[in-house]
Amino acid sequence: MAIERTLSIIKPDATKRNLTGKIIAKFEDAGLRVVAQKRIQLTKAQAGQFYEVHKERPFYDELCEFMASGPVVVQVLEGEGAIAKNREVMGATNPADAAPGTVRAEFAQSVGENSVHGSDAPETAAQEISFFFSGLEIVG
Ligand code: CMP
């Protein structure tokens, strides 16, 4: 399988509970490498721009409010089949449906406050990585 890069976000519910290291350990244990990372505070407008694809959804405003409610850690993860592997490690969006041992099964609080985000396809991964990082900030 090809080496891919994917965009990962450790969300405010997780940074607030000091879970950053535990979540990164799960990615690394699965063979993903952190090739870029920064801790930032999004504005609601920036969160809205990032999640533009969900603009028409009923939860959009709540989602943007939440993503701007505290620091997030944005990362580029690299590895073989990184997009699918990251989604496997994260578990289902709703923690009630997430498989045991996944990040969301262990740490997420609700479908909204679900601790992590990961890109869902190669095109979105490329878009989402360039939203947060320049080429110079990614060191494989
Ligand atoms: P994420 O993978 O970041 O992509 C979109 C996010 O929208 C999703 O994780 C959830 O955090 C959020 N989301 C999805 N469904 C709902 C919902 N029903 N209520 C609130 N937030 C939701």
Side-chain angles (χ1 to χ4, degrees):
M1 198 177 283
I3 299 289
E4 292 176 336
R5 287 176 174 174
T6 191
L7 190 276
S8 162
I9 307 179
I10 301 179
K11 296 187 180 184
D13 67 286
T15 60
K16 199 179 302 171
R17 289 177 289 146
N18 210 22
L19 294 171
T20 304
K22 287 198 172 92
I23 291 173
I24 295 170
K26 283 192 178 288
F27 296 146
E28 292 183 338
D29 288 349
L32 294 164
R33 303 180 71 83
V34 179
V35 296
Q37 176 166 273
K38 55 193 171 191
R39 181 177 169 102
I40 56 174
Q41 169 76 54
L42 291 172
T43 64
K44 190 175 173 186
Q46 289 166 334
Q49 200 186 337
F50 180 77
Y51 279 117
E52 182 108 44
V53 66
H54 295 304
K55 204 162 71 183
E56 304 306 325
R57 304 282 192 97
F59 56 81
Y60 179 68
D61 190 65
E62 185 189 330
L63 172 63
C64 298
E65 193 80 55
F66 165 62
M67 291 300 287
S69 70
V72 295
V73 174
V74 292
Q75 312 170 298
V76 179
L77 303 179
E78 183 182 85
E80 276 195 20
I83 296 166
K85 189 174 285 182
N86 181 39
R87 294 180 70 76
E88 201 180 302
V89 175
M90 289 193 300
T93 304
N94 187 339
D97 303 326
T102 60
V103 172
R104 284 165 171 160
E106 287 192 16
F107 303 125
Q109 299 183 299
S110 65
V111 67
E113 302 199 3
N114 64 354
S115 302
V116 280
H117 166 83
S119 309
D120 63 3
E123 303 71 37
T124 43
Q127 265 170 29
E128 292 181 357
I129 288 169
S130 66
F131 186 88
F132 287 111
F133 294 98
S134 74
L136 279 176
E137 294 175 302
I138 305 170
V139 184

Coordinates of all heavy atoms in Angstrom, one line a residue, residues 12-104:
P12 N -10.9 20.2 21.2 CA -10.9 20.8 22.5 C -11.3 20.0 23.7 O -10.8 20.1 24.8 CB -11.9 22.0 22.3 CG -11.8 22.3 20.9 CD -11.6 21.0 20.2
D13 N -12.2 19.0 23.5 CA -12.6 18.2 24.7 C -11.4 17.4 25.1 O -11.3 17.1 26.3 CB -13.8 17.3 24.3 CG -13.5 16.2 23.3 OD1 -13.3 16.6 22.1 OD2 -13.3 15.1 23.6
A14 N -10.5 17.0 24.2 CA -9.4 16.1 24.5 C -8.2 17.0 25.1 O -7.6 16.6 26.1 CB -8.9 15.3 23.3
T15 N -8.0 18.1 24.5 CA -6.8 19.0 25.0 C -7.2 19.4 26.4 O -6.3 19.5 27.3 CB -6.5 20.2 24.1 OG1 -7.7 21.0 24.0 CG2 -6.1 19.8 22.7
K16 N -8.5 19.7 26.6 CA -8.9 20.2 28.0 C -8.7 19.1 29.0 O -8.3 19.4 30.2 CB -10.5 20.5 27.9 CG -11.0 21.4 29.0 CD -12.5 21.7 28.8 CE -12.8 22.3 27.5 NZ -14.3 22.4 27.2
R17 N -8.8 17.9 28.7 CA -8.7 16.8 29.6 C -7.2 16.2 29.6 O -7.0 15.2 30.2 CB -9.7 15.7 29.4 CG -11.1 16.1 29.7 CD -12.2 15.1 29.4 NE -12.3 15.0 27.9 CZ -12.6 13.8 27.3 NH1 -12.7 12.7 27.9 NH2 -12.7 13.8 26.0
N18 N -6.3 16.9 29.0 CA -4.9 16.5 29.0 C -4.7 15.2 28.4 O -3.8 14.4 28.9 CB -4.4 16.6 30.4 CG -2.9 17.0 30.4 OD1 -2.3 17.5 29.5 ND2 -2.2 16.6 31.5
L19 N -5.4 14.9 27.3 CA -5.3 13.5 26.6 C -4.4 13.5 25.4 O -4.3 12.5 24.7 CB -6.7 13.1 26.3 CG -7.6 12.8 27.5 CD1 -9.1 12.6 27.0 CD2 -7.1 11.6 28.3
T20 N -3.8 14.6 25.1 CA -3.0 14.7 23.8 C -2.0 13.5 23.7 O -2.0 12.9 22.7 CB -2.3 16.1 23.8 OG1 -3.2 17.1 23.9 CG2 -1.5 16.3 22.5
G21 N -1.2 13.3 24.7 CA -0.2 12.3 24.6 C -0.8 10.9 24.5 O -0.2 10.1 23.7
K22 N -1.8 10.6 25.2 CA -2.5 9.3 25.1 C -3.0 9.0 23.7 O -2.9 7.9 23.2 CB -3.6 9.2 26.1 CG -3.1 9.0 27.6 CD -4.3 8.5 28.4 CE -3.8 8.1 29.8 NZ -3.9 9.3 30.8
I23 N -3.5 10.1 23.1 CA -4.1 9.9 21.7 C -3.0 9.7 20.7 O -3.0 8.9 19.9 CB -5.0 11.1 21.4 CG1 -6.3 11.0 22.3 CG2 -5.4 11.1 19.9 CD1 -7.2 12.2 22.2
I24 N -1.9 10.5 20.8 CA -0.8 10.4 19.9 C -0.1 9.0 20.0 O 0.2 8.4 19.0 CB 0.3 11.5 20.2 CG1 -0.3 12.9 19.8 CG2 1.5 11.3 19.3 CD1 0.5 14.1 20.2
A25 N -0.1 8.5 21.2 CA 0.5 7.1 21.4 C -0.3 6.1 20.6 O 0.3 5.2 20.0 CB 0.5 6.8 22.9
K26 N -1.6 6.3 20.6 CA -2.4 5.3 19.8 C -2.1 5.4 18.3 O -2.0 4.4 17.6 CB -3.9 5.6 20.0 CG -4.4 5.0 21.3 CD -5.9 5.0 21.4 CE -6.5 4.4 22.7 NZ -6.3 3.0 22.7
F27 N -1.9 6.6 17.8 CA -1.5 6.8 16.4 C -0.1 6.1 16.1 O 0.0 5.4 15.2 CB -1.4 8.3 16.0 CG -2.7 9.0 16.1 CD1 -2.8 10.4 16.4 CD2 -3.9 8.4 15.7 CE1 -4.0 11.1 16.5 CE2 -5.1 9.1 15.8 CZ -5.2 10.4 16.1
E28 N 0.8 6.4 17.0 CA 2.2 5.9 16.8 C 2.2 4.4 17.0 O 2.9 3.7 16.2 CB 3.1 6.6 17.8 CG 3.3 8.0 17.5 CD 4.4 8.7 18.3 OE1 4.6 8.3 19.5 OE2 4.9 9.8 17.9
D29 N 1.4 3.8 17.9 CA 1.4 2.4 18.1 C 0.8 1.7 16.9 O 1.1 0.5 16.6 CB 0.5 2.0 19.3 CG 1.2 2.4 20.6 OD1 2.4 2.7 20.6 OD2 0.5 2.3 21.7
A30 N 0.0 2.4 16.1 CA -0.6 1.8 14.9 C 0.3 2.0 13.7 O 0.0 1.6 12.6 CB -1.9 2.5 14.6
G31 N 1.5 2.6 13.9 CA 2.5 2.7 12.8 C 2.4 4.1 12.1 O 3.1 4.3 11.0
L32 N 1.6 5.0 12.6 CA 1.5 6.3 12.0 C 2.6 7.2 12.6 O 2.9 7.1 13.8 CB 0.1 7.0 12.2 CG -1.0 6.2 11.5 CD1 -2.4 6.7 12.1 CD2 -1.0 6.5 10.0
R33 N 3.2 8.1 11.7 CA 4.2 9.0 12.2 C 3.7 10.4 12.2 O 3.1 10.8 11.2 CB 5.5 8.9 11.3 CG 6.1 7.5 11.1 CD 7.3 7.6 10.2 NE 8.4 8.2 10.8 CZ 9.2 7.6 11.6 NH1 9.1 6.4 11.9 NH2 10.2 8.3 12.2
V34 N 4.0 11.2 13.2 CA 3.6 12.6 13.3 C 4.7 13.4 12.5 O 5.9 13.5 13.0 CB 3.5 13.1 14.7 CG1 3.2 14.6 14.8 CG2 2.5 12.3 15.5
V35 N 4.4 13.9 11.3 CA 5.4 14.6 10.5 C 5.2 16.1 10.5 O 6.0 16.8 10.0 CB 5.5 14.0 9.1 CG1 5.9 12.5 9.1 CG2 4.1 14.2 8.3
A36 N 4.1 16.5 11.2 CA 3.9 18.0 11.5 C 2.9 18.1 12.6 O 2.0 17.2 12.7 CB 3.4 18.7 10.2
Q37 N 3.1 19.1 13.4 CA 2.2 19.2 14.6 C 2.2 20.6 15.1 O 3.3 21.2 15.3 CB 2.6 18.2 15.6 CG 1.8 18.3 16.9 CD 2.0 17.1 17.8 OE1 1.3 16.1 17.7 NE2 2.9 17.2 18.7
K38 N 1.1 21.2 15.5 CA 1.1 22.5 16.3 C -0.2 22.6 17.1 O -1.3 22.0 16.7 CB 1.3 23.7 15.4 CG 0.3 23.8 14.2 CD 0.8 24.9 13.3 CE 0.0 25.0 12.0 NZ 0.7 25.8 10.9
R39 N -0.1 23.3 18.2 CA -1.2 23.5 19.1 C -1.7 24.9 18.8 O -0.9 25.9 18.9 CB -0.8 23.4 20.5 CG -1.9 23.6 21.6 CD -1.3 23.3 22.9 NE -2.2 23.7 24.0 CZ -2.9 22.8 24.7 NH1 -2.8 21.5 24.4 NH2 -3.7 23.2 25.7
I40 N -3.0 25.1 18.4 CA -3.5 26.4 18.0 C -4.9 26.6 18.6 O -5.5 25.7 19.0 CB -3.6 26.6 16.5 CG1 -4.4 25.5 15.9 CG2 -2.2 26.6 15.9 CD1 -4.7 25.7 14.4
Q41 N -5.3 27.9 18.7 CA -6.7 28.2 19.1 C -7.4 28.8 17.8 O -7.0 29.8 17.3 CB -6.6 29.3 20.2 CG -7.9 29.9 20.5 CD -8.8 29.0 21.4 OE1 -8.4 28.5 22.4 NE2 -10.0 28.8 20.9
L42 N -8.4 28.0 17.4 CA -9.2 28.5 16.2 C -10.2 29.5 16.6 O -10.8 29.5 17.7 CB -9.9 27.3 15.6 CG -9.1 26.2 14.9 CD1 -10.0 25.0 14.5 CD2 -8.4 26.8 13.7
T43 N -10.4 30.5 15.7 CA -11.6 31.3 15.9 C -12.8 30.6 15.3 O -12.7 29.6 14.6 CB -11.5 32.7 15.1 OG1 -11.4 32.3 13.7 CG2 -10.2 33.4 15.5
K44 N -14.0 31.0 15.7 CA -15.2 30.4 15.2 C -15.3 30.5 13.7 O -15.7 29.5 13.0 CB -16.5 31.0 15.8 CG -17.7 30.2 15.5 CD -18.9 30.7 16.3 CE -20.2 30.0 15.8 NZ -21.4 30.5 16.4
A45 N -14.8 31.6 13.1 CA -14.8 31.8 11.7 C -13.9 30.8 11.0 O -14.2 30.2 9.9 CB -14.4 33.2 11.3
Q46 N -12.7 30.6 11.6 CA -11.7 29.6 11.0 C -12.3 28.2 11.1 O -12.1 27.4 10.1 CB -10.4 29.7 11.7 CG -9.6 31.0 11.5 CD -8.5 31.2 12.4 OE1 -8.5 30.7 13.6 NE2 -7.5 31.9 12.0
A47 N -12.9 27.9 12.2 CA -13.5 26.5 12.3 C -14.6 26.4 11.2 O -14.8 25.3 10.6 CB -14.1 26.3 13.7
G48 N -15.4 27.5 11.0 CA -16.5 27.4 10.0 C -15.9 27.2 8.6 O -16.5 26.5 7.8
Q49 N -14.8 27.8 8.4 CA -14.1 27.7 7.0 C -13.6 26.2 6.9 O -13.8 25.6 5.8 CB -13.0 28.6 7.0 CG -12.5 29.0 5.6 CD -11.3 29.8 5.6 OE1 -11.0 30.5 6.6 NE2 -10.5 29.8 4.5
F50 N -13.0 25.7 7.9 CA -12.5 24.3 7.8 C -13.7 23.3 7.6 O -13.5 22.4 6.8 CB -11.8 23.9 9.1 CG -11.2 22.5 9.1 CD1 -10.1 22.2 8.4 CD2 -11.9 21.5 9.8 CE1 -9.6 20.9 8.3 CE2 -11.4 20.2 9.7 CZ -10.3 19.9 9.0
Y51 N -14.8 23.5 8.3 CA -15.9 22.6 8.2 C -17.0 23.1 7.2 O -18.1 22.6 7.3 CB -16.5 22.4 9.6 CG -15.8 21.4 10.5 CD1 -15.2 21.8 11.6 CD2 -15.7 20.0 10.1 CE1 -14.6 20.8 12.5 CE2 -15.1 19.1 10.9 CZ -14.5 19.5 12.1 OH -13.9 18.6 12.9
E52 N -16.6 23.9 6.3 CA -17.5 24.5 5.3 C -18.4 23.4 4.6 O -19.6 23.7 4.4 CB -16.7 25.1 4.2 CG -17.5 25.8 3.1 CD -17.4 27.3 3.2 OE1 -16.3 27.8 3.4 OE2 -18.4 28.0 3.0
V53 N -17.9 22.2 4.4 CA -18.6 21.1 3.7 C -19.9 20.8 4.6 O -20.9 20.2 4.0 CB -17.7 19.9 3.5 CG1 -17.3 19.3 4.8 CG2 -18.3 18.9 2.6
H54 N -19.9 21.1 5.9 CA -21.0 20.7 6.7 C -22.0 21.9 7.0 O -22.9 21.9 7.8 CB -20.5 20.2 8.1 CG -19.8 18.9 8.0 ND1 -20.3 17.8 7.4 CD2 -18.6 18.6 8.4 CE1 -19.4 16.8 7.5 NE2 -18.4 17.2 8.1
K55 N -21.8 23.0 6.2 CA -22.5 24.3 6.4 C -24.0 24.1 6.5 O -24.7 24.8 7.3 CB -22.2 25.2 5.3 CG -22.3 26.7 5.6 CD -21.6 27.6 4.7 CE -22.3 27.6 3.4 NZ -21.5 28.5 2.4
E56 N -24.6 23.2 5.7 CA -26.1 23.0 5.7 C -26.6 22.1 6.8 O -27.8 21.9 7.0 CB -26.5 22.5 4.4 CG -26.1 23.4 3.2 CD -26.5 24.9 3.3 OE1 -27.6 25.2 3.9 OE2 -25.7 25.7 2.9
R57 N -25.7 21.5 7.6 CA -26.1 20.5 8.6 C -26.6 21.2 9.8 O -26.1 22.3 10.2 CB -24.9 19.6 9.0 CG -24.2 18.9 7.9 CD -25.0 17.6 7.5 NE -24.2 16.8 6.6 CZ -23.6 15.7 7.1 NH1 -23.6 15.4 8.3 NH2 -22.9 15.0 6.2
P58 N -27.6 20.6 10.5 CA -28.1 21.3 11.7 C -27.1 21.5 12.8 O -27.3 22.4 13.6 CB -29.3 20.3 12.1 CG -29.0 19.0 11.4 CD -28.2 19.4 10.2
F59 N -26.1 20.7 12.8 CA -25.1 20.8 13.9 C -23.9 21.7 13.6 O -23.0 21.9 14.4 CB -24.6 19.4 14.3 CG -23.9 18.6 13.2 CD1 -22.6 18.9 12.8 CD2 -24.7 17.6 12.5 CE1 -22.1 18.2 11.7 CE2 -24.1 16.9 11.5 CZ -22.8 17.2 11.1
Y60 N -24.0 22.4 12.4 CA -22.8 23.2 12.0 C -22.4 24.3 13.0 O -21.2 24.4 13.4 CB -23.1 23.8 10.6 CG -22.0 24.7 10.1 CD1 -20.8 24.2 9.6 CD2 -22.2 26.1 9.9 CE1 -19.8 25.0 9.1 CE2 -21.3 26.9 9.4 CZ -20.1 26.3 8.9 OH -19.1 27.1 8.4
D61 N -23.4 25.0 13.5 CA -23.1 26.2 14.4 C -22.5 25.6 15.7 O -21.4 26.1 16.2 CB -24.3 27.0 14.7 CG -24.0 28.3 15.4 OD1 -23.3 29.1 14.8 OD2 -24.3 28.4 16.6
E62 N -23.1 24.6 16.2 CA -22.6 23.9 17.5 C -21.2 23.4 17.3 O -20.3 23.5 18.1 CB -23.6 22.8 17.8 CG -23.3 22.1 19.1 CD -24.2 20.8 19.1 OE1 -25.4 20.8 18.5 OE2 -23.8 19.8 19.7
L63 N -20.9 22.8 16.1 CA -19.6 22.2 15.8 C -18.5 23.3 15.8 O -17.5 23.2 16.4 CB -19.7 21.5 14.4 CG -18.4 21.0 13.8 CD1 -17.7 19.9 14.7 CD2 -18.7 20.4 12.4
C64 N -18.9 24.4 15.1 CA -17.9 25.5 15.0 C -17.6 26.2 16.3 O -16.5 26.5 16.7 CB -18.4 26.6 14.0 SG -18.6 25.9 12.3
E65 N -18.7 26.4 17.1 CA -18.6 26.9 18.5 C -17.7 26.0 19.3 O -16.7 26.5 20.0 CB -20.0 26.9 19.1 CG -20.2 27.7 20.3 CD -20.4 29.2 20.1 OE1 -21.2 29.6 19.3 OE2 -19.6 29.9 20.7
F66 N -17.9 24.7 19.2 CA -17.1 23.8 20.0 C -15.6 23.8 19.6 O -14.7 23.8 20.4 CB -17.7 22.3 19.9 CG -16.8 21.3 20.3 CD1 -16.3 21.2 21.6 CD2 -16.3 20.3 19.4 CE1 -15.4 20.2 22.0 CE2 -15.4 19.3 19.8 CZ -15.0 19.3 21.1
M67 N -15.4 23.8 18.3 CA -14.0 23.7 17.8 C -13.2 25.0 18.2 O -12.0 25.0 18.2 CB -14.0 23.5 16.3 CG -14.4 22.1 15.9 SD -13.4 20.7 16.6 CE -11.9 20.9 15.6
A68 N -13.9 26.1 18.5 CA -13.3 27.3 18.9 C -13.3 27.5 20.4 O -12.8 28.5 20.9 CB -14.0 28.5 18.2
S69 N -13.7 26.5 21.1 CA -13.9 26.6 22.6 C -12.6 26.4 23.4 O -12.6 26.6 24.6 CB -15.0 25.6 23.0 OG -14.6 24.3 23.0
G70 N -11.6 26.0 22.7 CA -10.3 25.7 23.4 C -9.3 25.3 22.4 O -9.6 25.2 21.2
P71 N -8.0 25.1 22.9 CA -7.0 24.7 21.9 C -7.2 23.4 21.2 O -7.9 22.5 21.8 CB -5.7 24.6 22.8 CG -6.1 25.0 24.2 CD -7.6 25.1 24.3
V72 N -6.7 23.3 20.0 CA -6.7 22.1 19.3 C -5.2 21.8 18.9 O -4.4 22.7 18.8 CB -7.5 22.1 18.0 CG1 -9.0 22.3 18.3 CG2 -7.1 23.2 17.0
V73 N -4.9 20.5 18.7 CA -3.6 20.1 18.2 C -3.8 19.6 16.8 O -4.6 18.6 16.6 CB -2.9 19.0 19.1 CG1 -1.6 18.6 18.4 CG2 -2.6 19.6 20.5
V74 N -3.3 20.3 15.8 CA -3.4 19.8 14.4 C -2.1 19.1 14.0 O -1.0 19.5 14.4 CB -3.7 21.0 13.4 CG1 -5.1 21.5 13.7 CG2 -2.7 22.1 13.5
Q75 N -2.3 18.0 13.2 CA -1.1 17.2 12.9 C -1.2 16.7 11.5 O -2.4 16.5 11.0 CB -1.1 15.9 13.8 CG -1.4 16.1 15.2 CD -1.6 14.8 16.0 OE1 -2.5 14.1 15.7 NE2 -0.7 14.4 16.9
V76 N -0.1 16.4 10.9 CA -0.1 15.5 9.7 C 0.5 14.2 10.1 O 1.6 14.1 10.7 CB 0.8 16.2 8.6 CG1 0.8 15.3 7.4 CG2 0.3 17.6 8.3
L77 N -0.3 13.1 9.8 CA 0.2 11.8 10.1 C 0.5 11.1 8.8 O -0.1 11.3 7.8 CB -1.0 11.0 10.8 CG -1.6 11.6 12.1 CD1 -2.7 10.7 12.6 CD2 -0.5 11.7 13.1
E78 N 1.6 10.4 8.8 CA 2.1 9.7 7.6 C 2.3 8.2 7.8 O 2.7 7.8 8.9 CB 3.5 10.3 7.2 CG 4.1 9.8 6.0 CD 5.5 10.5 5.7 OE1 6.5 10.0 6.2 OE2 5.5 11.5 5.0
G79 N 2.0 7.5 6.8 CA 2.2 6.0 6.9 C 1.6 5.3 5.8 O 0.9 5.9 5.0
E80 N 1.7 4.0 5.8 CA 1.1 3.2 4.7 C -0.4 3.2 4.9 O -0.9 2.9 6.0 CB 1.6 1.7 4.8 CG 2.9 1.5 4.1 CD 3.1 0.0 3.9 OE1 2.2 -0.8 4.0 OE2 4.3 -0.3 3.7
G81 N -1.1 3.6 3.9 CA -2.6 3.7 4.0 C -3.0 4.6 5.2 O -4.0 4.2 5.9
A82 N -2.4 5.7 5.4 CA -2.6 6.5 6.6 C -4.0 7.0 6.8 O -4.5 7.1 7.9 CB -1.6 7.7 6.6
I83 N -4.7 7.3 5.7 CA -6.0 7.8 5.8 C -7.0 6.8 6.4 O -7.7 7.1 7.4 CB -6.6 8.3 4.4 CG1 -5.7 9.5 3.9 CG2 -8.0 8.8 4.5 CD1 -5.8 9.8 2.4
A84 N -7.0 5.6 5.9 CA -7.9 4.5 6.4 C -7.4 4.1 7.8 O -8.2 3.8 8.7 CB -7.9 3.4 5.5
K85 N -6.0 4.0 8.0 CA -5.5 3.5 9.3 C -5.9 4.5 10.4 O -6.3 4.1 11.5 CB -4.0 3.4 9.2 CG -3.4 2.7 10.4 CD -1.9 2.5 10.2 CE -1.6 1.3 9.3 NZ -0.2 1.0 9.2
N86 N -5.8 5.8 10.1 CA -6.1 6.8 11.1 C -7.6 6.7 11.4 O -8.0 6.8 12.6 CB -5.8 8.2 10.6 CG -6.2 9.3 11.6 OD1 -6.0 9.1 12.8 ND2 -6.7 10.4 11.1
R87 N -8.5 6.5 10.4 CA -9.9 6.4 10.7 C -10.2 5.1 11.5 O -11.1 5.1 12.4 CB -10.7 6.4 9.4 CG -10.6 7.7 8.7 CD -11.3 7.8 7.4 NE -12.7 7.9 7.6 CZ -13.4 8.9 8.0 NH1 -12.8 10.0 8.3 NH2 -14.7 8.9 8.1
E88 N -9.4 4.1 11.3 CA -9.6 2.8 12.1 C -9.2 3.1 13.6 O -9.9 2.7 14.5 CB -8.7 1.8 11.5 CG -9.0 0.4 11.8 CD -7.9 -0.5 11.1 OE1 -7.8 -0.4 9.8 OE2 -7.2 -1.2 11.8
V89 N -8.1 3.8 13.8 CA -7.6 4.1 15.1 C -8.6 5.0 15.8 O -8.9 4.9 17.0 CB -6.2 4.7 15.1 CG1 -5.8 5.1 16.5 CG2 -5.2 3.7 14.5
M90 N -9.2 6.0 15.1 CA -10.2 6.9 15.7 C -11.5 6.2 16.1 O -12.0 6.6 17.1 CB -10.6 8.0 14.7 CG -9.5 9.0 14.4 SD -10.1 10.5 13.5 CE -10.8 9.8 12.1
G91 N -12.0 5.3 15.3 CA -13.3 4.7 15.6 C -14.4 5.5 15.0 O -14.2 6.6 14.5
A92 N -15.6 5.0 15.1 CA -16.8 5.6 14.5 C -17.0 7.0 15.1 O -16.7 7.3 16.2 CB -18.0 4.8 14.7
T93 N -17.6 7.9 14.3 CA -17.9 9.3 14.7 C -18.6 9.4 16.0 O -18.3 10.2 16.9 CB -18.7 10.0 13.6 OG1 -18.0 9.9 12.3 CG2 -18.9 11.5 13.9
N94 N -19.6 8.5 16.1 CA -20.4 8.5 17.4 C -19.7 7.5 18.3 O -19.7 6.3 18.0 CB -21.8 8.1 17.1 CG -22.7 8.2 18.3 OD1 -22.2 8.2 19.5 ND2 -24.0 8.3 18.1
P95 N -19.2 7.9 19.5 CA -18.5 7.0 20.4 C -19.4 5.8 20.8 O -18.8 4.7 21.1 CB -18.2 7.9 21.6 CG -19.0 9.1 21.5 CD -19.3 9.3 20.0
A96 N -20.7 5.9 20.7 CA -21.5 4.8 21.0 C -21.4 3.6 20.0 O -21.6 2.5 20.3 CB -23.0 5.2 21.1
D97 N -20.9 4.0 18.8 CA -20.7 3.0 17.8 C -19.3 2.6 17.6 O -18.9 1.8 16.7 CB -21.2 3.5 16.4 CG -22.7 3.9 16.5 OD1 -23.5 3.3 17.2 OD2 -23.1 4.9 15.8
A98 N -18.4 3.2 18.3 CA -16.9 3.0 18.1 C -16.4 1.7 18.7 O -16.8 1.3 19.8 CB -16.1 4.2 18.7
A99 N -15.6 1.0 17.9 CA -15.1 -0.3 18.4 C -14.2 -0.1 19.6 O -13.5 0.9 19.8 CB -14.3 -0.9 17.3
P100 N -14.2 -1.2 20.5 CA -13.4 -1.1 21.7 C -11.9 -0.9 21.3 O -11.4 -1.4 20.3 CB -13.5 -2.5 22.3 CG -14.8 -3.0 21.7 CD -15.0 -2.4 20.4
G101 N -11.2 0.0 22.2 CA -9.8 0.2 21.9 C -9.5 1.4 21.0 O -8.4 1.9 21.0
T102 N -10.6 1.9 20.3 CA -10.4 3.1 19.5 C -10.3 4.4 20.3 O -10.8 4.4 21.5 CB -11.5 3.2 18.4 OG1 -12.7 3.3 19.1 CG2 -11.5 2.0 17.5
V103 N -9.8 5.4 19.7 CA -9.7 6.7 20.5 C -11.1 7.1 20.9 O -11.3 7.5 22.1 CB -9.1 7.8 19.5 CG1 -9.2 9.2 20.2 CG2 -7.6 7.5 19.2
R104 N -12.1 7.1 20.0 CA -13.4 7.6 20.4 C -14.1 6.7 21.4 O -14.8 7.2 22.3 CB -14.2 7.8 19.1 CG -13.8 9.1 18.4 CD -14.3 9.1 17.0 NE -14.1 10.4 16.3 CZ -14.2 10.5 15.0 NH1 -14.4 9.5 14.2 NH2 -14.0 11.7 14.4

